[in-house]
Coordinates of all heavy atoms in Angstrom, one line a residue:
L1 N 184.1 76.2 13.0 CA 184.2 74.8 13.3 C 185.4 74.2 12.7 O 186.1 73.3 13.3 CB 182.9 74.1 12.8 CG 181.6 74.3 13.6 CD1 180.4 73.8 12.9 CD2 181.8 73.6 14.9
E2 N 185.7 74.6 11.4 CA 186.9 74.0 10.7 C 188.2 74.5 11.4 O 189.2 73.7 11.3 CB 186.9 74.5 9.3 CG 185.8 74.0 8.4 CD 185.7 74.6 7.0 OE1 186.7 75.3 6.6 OE2 184.7 74.4 6.3
D3 N 188.1 75.6 12.1 CA 189.3 76.2 12.8 C 189.4 75.7 14.2 O 190.3 76.1 14.9 CB 189.3 77.7 12.8 CG 189.4 78.3 11.4 OD1 189.9 77.6 10.5 OD2 189.0 79.5 11.2
S4 N 188.6 74.8 14.6 CA 188.4 74.4 16.1 C 189.7 74.0 16.7 O 189.9 74.1 17.9 CB 187.4 73.4 16.3 OG 187.6 72.2 15.5
S5 N 190.7 73.5 15.9 CA 191.9 73.0 16.4 C 193.0 74.1 16.6 O 194.1 73.9 17.1 CB 192.5 71.9 15.6 OG 192.8 72.3 14.3
L6 N 192.7 75.3 16.1 CA 193.7 76.4 16.1 C 193.6 77.1 17.4 O 192.6 77.3 18.0 CB 193.4 77.4 15.0 CG 193.5 76.8 13.5 CD1 193.1 77.9 12.5 CD2 194.8 76.2 13.2
D7 N 194.8 77.6 17.8 CA 194.9 78.4 19.1 C 194.1 79.7 19.0 O 194.3 80.4 18.0 CB 196.4 78.7 19.4 CG 197.1 77.5 19.9 OD1 196.4 76.5 20.4 OD2 198.4 77.5 19.9
G8 N 193.3 80.0 20.0 CA 192.7 81.3 20.0 C 191.4 81.4 19.3 O 190.7 82.5 19.3
V9 N 191.0 80.3 18.5 CA 189.8 80.4 17.7 C 188.6 80.7 18.6 O 188.5 80.2 19.8 CB 189.5 79.1 16.9 CG1 189.3 77.9 17.9 CG2 188.3 79.3 16.0
V10 N 187.6 81.5 18.1 CA 186.4 81.9 18.9 C 185.2 81.2 18.2 O 184.9 81.5 17.1 CB 186.2 83.4 18.9 CG1 185.0 83.7 19.7 CG2 187.4 84.1 19.4
P11 N 184.6 80.2 18.9 CA 183.5 79.5 18.3 C 182.3 80.5 18.3 O 182.2 81.4 19.1 CB 183.2 78.3 19.2 CG 183.9 78.7 20.5 CD 185.0 79.6 20.2
I12 N 181.3 80.3 17.3 CA 180.1 81.1 17.2 C 178.9 80.2 17.5 O 178.6 79.4 16.7 CB 180.0 81.7 15.9 CG1 181.3 82.6 15.5 CG2 178.8 82.6 15.7 CD1 181.4 83.1 14.1
P13 N 178.3 80.4 18.7 CA 177.2 79.5 19.1 C 175.9 79.8 18.2 O 175.8 80.9 17.6 CB 176.9 79.9 20.5 CG 177.4 81.3 20.7 CD 178.6 81.4 19.7
L14 N 175.1 78.8 18.1 CA 173.8 79.0 17.5 C 172.8 79.7 18.5 O 173.0 79.6 19.7 CB 173.2 77.7 17.1 CG 173.8 76.9 15.9 CD1 173.4 75.5 15.9 CD2 173.4 77.6 14.6
E15 N 171.9 80.5 17.9 CA 170.9 81.1 18.8 C 169.8 80.0 19.2 O 169.3 79.4 18.3 CB 170.2 82.2 18.1 CG 171.1 83.5 17.9 CD 170.3 84.5 17.1 OE1 169.5 85.2 17.7 OE2 170.5 84.5 15.8
S16 N 169.6 79.9 20.5 CA 168.6 78.9 20.9 C 167.3 79.5 21.3 O 166.3 78.9 21.5 CB 169.1 78.0 22.1 OG 169.5 78.9 23.1
G17 N 167.2 80.8 21.4 CA 166.0 81.6 21.8 C 166.0 83.0 21.1 O 166.7 83.2 20.2
S18 N 165.3 83.8 21.7 CA 165.2 85.2 21.1 C 165.5 86.3 22.1 O 165.2 87.4 21.9 CB 163.8 85.4 20.5 OG 162.8 85.2 21.5
G19 N 166.1 85.9 23.3 CA 166.4 86.8 24.3 C 167.5 87.8 23.9 O 168.4 87.5 23.1
E20 N 167.3 89.1 24.3 CA 168.3 90.1 23.9 C 169.7 89.8 24.4 O 170.6 90.0 23.7 CB 167.8 91.5 24.5 CG 168.5 92.7 24.0 CD 168.2 93.0 22.5 OE1 167.1 92.6 22.0 OE2 169.1 93.5 21.8
E21 N 169.7 89.2 25.6 CA 171.0 88.9 26.2 C 171.8 87.9 25.4 O 173.0 88.0 25.1 CB 170.8 88.4 27.6 CG 172.1 88.4 28.4 CD 171.8 88.0 29.9 OE1 170.9 88.6 30.5 OE2 172.6 87.2 30.4
E22 N 171.0 86.9 24.9 CA 171.6 85.8 24.1 C 172.1 86.3 22.8 O 173.2 86.0 22.3 CB 170.7 84.6 23.9 CG 171.4 83.5 23.2 CD 170.4 82.4 22.7 OE1 169.2 82.7 22.6 OE2 170.9 81.3 22.5
L23 N 171.2 87.2 22.2 CA 171.6 87.8 20.9 C 172.9 88.6 21.0 O 173.8 88.4 20.1 CB 170.5 88.7 20.4 CG 170.8 89.5 19.1 CD1 171.0 88.5 18.0 CD2 169.7 90.5 18.8
E24 N 173.1 89.3 22.1 CA 174.3 90.1 22.3 C 175.5 89.1 22.4 O 176.6 89.4 21.9 CB 174.2 91.0 23.5 CG 173.4 92.3 23.3 CD 174.1 93.1 22.2 OE1 175.3 93.4 22.4 OE2 173.4 93.5 21.2
R25 N 175.3 88.0 23.1 CA 176.4 87.0 23.3 C 176.8 86.4 21.9 O 178.0 86.3 21.7 CB 175.9 85.9 24.2 CG 176.9 84.8 24.6 CD 176.3 83.9 25.6 NE 175.2 83.2 25.2 CZ 175.2 82.0 24.6 NH1 176.4 81.4 24.3 NH2 174.1 81.4 24.2
V26 N 175.9 86.1 21.0 CA 176.2 85.6 19.7 C 176.9 86.6 18.9 O 178.0 86.4 18.2 CB 175.0 85.0 19.0 CG1 175.3 84.6 17.6 CG2 174.3 83.9 19.8
I27 N 176.4 87.9 18.9 CA 177.0 88.9 18.1 C 178.5 89.2 18.6 O 179.4 89.3 17.8 CB 176.2 90.2 18.2 CG1 174.9 90.1 17.3 CG2 177.0 91.4 17.8 CD1 173.9 91.3 17.4
Q28 N 178.6 89.2 19.9 CA 180.0 89.4 20.5 C 180.9 88.2 20.0 O 182.1 88.5 19.7 CB 180.0 89.4 22.0 CG 181.3 89.9 22.6 CD 181.8 91.2 22.1 OE1 181.0 92.2 22.2 NE2 183.0 91.3 21.6
A29 N 180.4 87.0 19.9 CA 181.2 85.9 19.4 C 181.7 86.1 18.0 O 182.8 85.8 17.6 CB 180.5 84.6 19.6
V30 N 180.8 86.6 17.2 CA 181.1 86.9 15.7 C 182.2 88.0 15.7 O 183.2 87.9 15.0 CB 179.8 87.3 15.0 CG1 180.2 87.7 13.5 CG2 178.8 86.3 15.0
V31 N 182.0 89.1 16.5 CA 182.9 90.2 16.5 C 184.3 89.6 16.9 O 185.3 89.9 16.3 CB 182.5 91.2 17.5 CG1 183.6 92.3 17.8 CG2 181.2 91.9 17.0
D32 N 184.4 88.8 18.0 CA 185.6 88.3 18.5 C 186.3 87.4 17.5 O 187.5 87.4 17.3 CB 185.4 87.6 19.8 CG 185.1 88.5 20.9 OD1 185.3 89.7 20.8 OD2 184.5 88.0 22.0

């Protein structure tokens, strides 16, 4: 969030449910 103005920053979404697909999406955001 603090880096939001930087080029290429990857935001990390909050988990809104417990679906496996969503969990993978959040983990991939952290990785990126």
Side-chain angles (χ1 to χ4, degrees):
L1 282 171
E2 291 175 14
D3 293 341
S4 57
S5 61
L6 299 179
D7 285 342
V9 64
V10 182
I12 301 171
L14 287 164
E15 288 177 83
S16 58
S18 57
E20 193 66 31
E21 195 174 311
E22 187 193 17
L23 176 61
E24 280 299 306
R25 184 171 62 88
V26 177
I27 286 176
Q28 188 60 52
V30 177
V31 170
D32 292 343

